[in-house]
Amino acid sequence: MKSAEMAVVAVSLCVLVGIVFVCEIARRATLNLLTGKRRDCGIYAAEIISTIQLCACSHELKLLSEDAPEIALSFTYVITVVHALTFRGATGNPTATLERYWCDSLGGACALRRTACQFAAAVAAGLAMRRAWALGFSDLHARHERSGFACASPLANVHLLEAVAVELACAFVVHAVVTFTRGVEEKYRVHAVAAVITTVVYAGGSTTGAVFNPALALSAQFPCSGSTFAKNSLVYWLGPVLGVACSLLLFNKVILAFTAKSTTHKDQNLHAVQKKRN
């Protein structure tokens, strides 16, 4: 690795650490300030702070991938583990909030407010990162600032159905892993989920960016040239929602019903055998 590239990577690493550090301080402060009757507000404050952390780090990693894609991918794994360990119940992803609503663990009004917080925080993170890049901490930041923070959409040369399918598949796979690992000890689970997310980003990154998060997409992909708002909405909003819906339908309905039917059949056979013996 050249010294110039090492300097860029070092600065990006410092930016990522700084984002997590500032957001963690903000989280701890809100926990101490929002107590008693204001405790419910802490839920929304946590969503805002965690979504800002997620989106700001993703912006930096997306920019770093232009100069050092392999290192950016490695950082994706590490920062995903950090997110999982620091979010404290927040998701930073509207599809995860929608899943909780579908599973009746969140009320409609609460889910709507959380989603609004996530989208607002995602936009704020994008604006904040532009301010940070304008400071020119590294040559990469300076070049991005000189280009007017321009970016090219990965959807420019991708067919709509292919792009929707990729985002759907990414969301489906990640949600399936999250569902399957719920019984695993947290210190192992975060690494399993992070490894899958990193693999999904590697596999689908060149096609759509592998965002599978509507709020993050609004911040990171919608401002880019080469695609329309309608196409972005179908790919980055509808795709992940369909992916999570398919995962819920498969694992919470189809497989559950099949398992229940199989268990009932076994019980009936066992009862018949016992009856013959008697």
Side-chain angles (χ1 to χ4, degrees), residues 18 20 25-26 35 53 65 90 110 118 120 139 169-170 179 187 214 216 252:
V20 174
I25 290 175
T35 56
Q53 177 179 314
S65 67
C110 181
Q118 289 161 351
D139 179 60
C170 289
T179 301
K187 63 181 180 180
L216 175 57
N252 291 17

Side-chain angles (χ1 to χ4, degrees), residues 229-241:
F229 181 85
K231 187 174 183 180
N232 285 333
S233 300
L234 289 171
V235 173
Y236 295 117
W237 290 353
L238 181 62
V241 170

Side-chain angles (χ1 to χ4, degrees), residues 5 7 11 17 20 39 50 58 63-64 72 88 99 103 109-110 120 131 133 142 159 166 170 175 214 266:
E5 188 177 336
V11 170
V17 171
V20 174
R39 193 177 185 86
S50 297
S58 297
L63 186 62
L64 179 62
R88 294 188 181 88
E99 180 219 350
C103 296
C110 181
R131 293 291 184 91
W133 291 329
H159 192 274
V166 168
C170 289
H175 184 268
K266 286 180 181 179

